[in-house]
Amino acid sequence: MPNRRTFLKNLSSGLMVMGSGVLLPRHAWADAFSISPPTLPDGDMAESILASLPGKNPLIKRTYRAPNYETPVEYFNQMFTPNDSFYVRWHLSGIPDKLSATDWRLKIGGDSVNTPIELTLDNLQNNYEHVEIVALNQCSGNRRGFFQPHVAGVEWGYGAMGNARWTGVRLKDVLNKAGIKKDALEVTLNGAEGPVIPQTPDFIKSLPLWKALDENTILAWEMNGEPLPHLNGFPVRLVVPGWTGTYWTKMITEINVINKPWDGFWMRIAYRIPIGKFAGIDRFVSQERPTDTMTPITEMVVNSLMTNIRNGQRFHLGQPVEVKGIAWDAGRGIRLVEVSTDGGYTWREATLGKDYGNYSWRQFSYGFRPTKKGRYDILARATNRAGSTQNFELIWNPAGYHHNVVQKVSVDVV
Ligand SMILES: Nc1nc2c(c(=O)[nH]1)N[C@H]1C(S)=C(S)[C@@H](COP(=O)(O)O)O[C@H]1N2
Ligand SMILES: [Mo]
């Protein structure tokens, strides 16, 4: 396995390419077809509305209370997802107004710290080494809307994800300041929002100690060189590279180091996958009781997305077709992207773009010149350095996680 501890990069700001790539004119996003895969039943996507949240460009609205809005695929032609178009995912509707950066406090405590501490934003920014990492934030349920049979939950299309450059300090450094006792097992994470009715469990997540101490796990106050948007967690959120978005606690206010498994609803019941159904990913073993058949979701699975072509698009015979997209995994790194233009009979290697570290997505491109008229079924499939690849058939699971079925886009050459 490649050394996964070396991916933190001190990227110079010169590497920032916000605004690179091609943005389609705004009206193009209204074309629901561009976000509608062929397998979705009619209606699902037609009901989706582009809507503005405060401080955001129009996003695809899935639910309003709590706010769940996804990024239109066109934005994924850019290496970094712009902050004002970055998807938004909340569980509870009691989200506070933007917190005051001066009043915000982060409490570090729990039975397994030596000295509980309370930090201001100033403390955080001035007492620990700053680090930057490019990392993909993807919701566990991205693409849930394509599950057959259908499952309950936010009916995401392709856009519950985004790639950004995050700036902050290592969680490890902050925890070490409080001092970690020998019996420490898990680290719980809580944000400022609360449930609106007391019956709803507060959104509290936990990480195994080893992942909390991973040098890539950071408390971030900036994405893409700007303060976090309110709905992406201002002033500080956790960034857990490689693991699905559920652990990336926004508006974080409380962290506890504990010596037992955290058994709140969002760990014990929600965000679980069947044990053994997904190969080659981290297990969160302290969360598994002997009789459990389900285990917490952890790492993202290898996946890819074509971003510049859409179903039904027309090309003229003799015109070159350039297929562009992105591929990612949980941090082993993308080794290969293959593209088929004949529905999967033959495959060719795509060219990979610049490497921004293993936790970033990787751009790819593949050009071809169609030699006859007709329909071309274009497929893309990514493989990582551990040899894991995308599935042709859905690995169904009750909560609708880890959809990484090879995508097909059918275009017409006329
Ligand atoms: N405080 C808080 N943090 C949270 C959540 C939440 O509901 N509350 N949702 C999590 C989930 S499930 C995801 S997928 C990511 C989404 O991050 P984003 O809204 O910045 O895109 O935030 C995570 N952090
Ligand atoms: Mo999520």
Side-chain angles (χ1 to χ4, degrees):
M1 196 157 79
N3 181 359
R4 298 177 68 203
R5 307 185 71 80
T6 55
F7 300 130
L8 261 193
K9 299 227 165 113
N10 279 308
L11 295 176
S12 76
S13 56
L15 283 181
M16 272 273 292
V17 291
M18 280 265 300
S20 75
V22 183
L23 262 190
L24 293 185
R26 201 156 283 214
H27 66 261
W29 308 330
D31 175 6
F33 208 55
S34 68
I35 51 161
S36 178
T39 49
L40 254 197
D42 288 346
D44 257 11
M45 287 292 178
E47 283 162 23
S48 70
I49 302 166
L50 286 176
S52 293
L53 287 164
K56 290 278 182 181
N57 283 326
L59 298 174
I60 302 165
K61 180 168 118 187
R62 295 294 173 207
T63 66
Y64 177 69
R65 265 179 82 87
N68 287 300
Y69 289 68
E70 67 178 273
T71 303
V73 165
E74 283 80 5
Y75 285 106
F76 301 147
N77 288 301
Q78 301 175 69
M79 187 65 204
F80 297 100
T81 313
N83 294 6
D84 54 12
S85 301
F86 206 93
Y87 85 107
V88 170
R89 200 273 180 263
W90 289 86
H91 294 79
L92 313 175
S93 37
I95 305 166
D97 289 341
K98 190 168 179 177
L99 302 184
S100 137
T102 43
D103 295 346
W104 175 82
R105 296 288 181 277
L106 175 61
K107 287 189 180 136
I108 312 282
D111 288 342
S112 294
V113 298
N114 295 324
T115 330
I117 54 175
E118 195 172 289
L119 299 173
T120 64
L121 191 56
D122 249 27
N123 297 152
L124 199 67
Q125 293 178 335
N126 295 320
N127 294 316
Y128 305 91
E129 187 189 349
H130 288 198
V131 289
E132 292 189 352
I133 188 169
V134 178
L136 167 65
N137 165 348
Q138 181 184 216
C139 184
S140 318
N142 194 21
R143 309 185 179 185
R144 181 184 288 120
F146 311 147
F147 265 65
Q148 298 286 353
H150 195 75
V151 297
V154 180
E155 301 300 323
W156 298 115
Y158 288 114
M161 62 174 189
N163 200 46
R165 182 171 61 95
W166 308 93
T167 308
V169 296
R170 295 182 186 92
L171 176 59
K172 171 180 93 159
D173 292 348
V174 175
L175 295 180
N176 282 336
K177 182 88 167 195
I180 303 167
K181 292 187 187 166
K182 280 219 178 65
D183 66 354
L185 184 68
E186 293 186 7
V187 176
T188 66
L189 316 160
N190 195 2
E193 87 280 22
V196 171
I197 49 163
Q199 287 82 350
T200 316
D202 195 6
F203 187 72
I204 300 175
K205 298 294 296 184
S206 72
L207 285 172
L209 185 69
W210 67 266
K211 187 66 179 175
L213 298 182
D214 188 297
E215 67 177 16
N216 298 304
T217 300
I218 69 173
L219 288 161
W221 57 80
E222 259 180 35
M223 61 192 281
N224 297 323
E226 302 280 343
L228 303 176
H230 170 221
L231 292 171
N232 300 107
F234 184 89
V236 176
R237 80 174 307 165
L238 197 66
V239 168
V240 190
W243 284 34
T244 65
T246 185
Y247 298 98
W248 297 44
T249 305
K250 298 184 280 191
M251 275 184 204
I252 193 162
T253 50
E254 190 183 358
I255 299 177
N256 288 316
V257 185
I258 58 173
N259 53 26
K260 319 187 232 321
W262 177 256
D263 68 356
F265 174 83
W266 300 103
M267 290 309 300
R268 189 60 218 147
I269 309 293
Y271 284 101
R272 289 201 169 221
I273 52 174
I275 293 178
K277 255 200 165 180
F278 297 92
I281 51 178
D282 291 337
R283 288 268 282 270
F284 191 162
V285 288
S286 60
Q287 282 286 330
E288 294 178 2
R289 294 181 191 164
T291 54
D292 280 353
T293 56
M294 305 289 278
T295 185
I297 195 168
T298 55
E299 295 180 291
M300 294 181 282
V301 294
V302 62
N303 215 339
S304 69
L305 180 72
M306 291 177 275
T307 52
N308 75 325
I309 55 169
R310 56 199 171 92
N311 278 305
Q313 193 169 341
R314 287 177 157 215
F315 294 90
H316 290 284
L317 190 63
Q319 180 190 354
V321 179
E322 172 103 38
V323 178
K324 288 188 180 173
I326 45 182
W328 62 92
D329 76 331
R332 271 82 177 169
I334 291 300
R335 187 181 78 204
L336 173 74
V337 176
E338 294 156 291
V339 173
S340 172
T341 59
D342 57 8
Y345 289 101
T346 58
W347 296 85
R348 298 275 168 125
E349 203 170 326
T351 305
L352 296 182
K354 185 173 153 76
D355 188 350
Y356 284 88
N358 283 357
Y359 294 106
S360 169
W361 66 35
R362 189 92 186 253
Q363 292 178 318
F364 69 84
S365 67
Y366 176 76
F368 72 104
R369 196 181 288 270
T371 52
K372 54 181 193 312
K373 292 184 179 177
R375 177 175 156 156
Y376 286 73
D377 289 334
I378 305 180
L379 280 58
R381 183 179 58 173
T383 302
N384 74 2
R385 294 194 190 118
S388 295
T389 186
Q390 290 178 250
N391 296 300
F392 284 100
E393 269 172 43
L394 178 67
I395 301 181
W396 192 90
N397 61 98
Y401 298 142
H402 282 334
H403 185 297
N404 71 342
V405 177
V406 169
Q407 181 201 10
K408 180 174 86 180
V409 176
S410 301
V411 303
D412 294 307
V413 174
V414 294

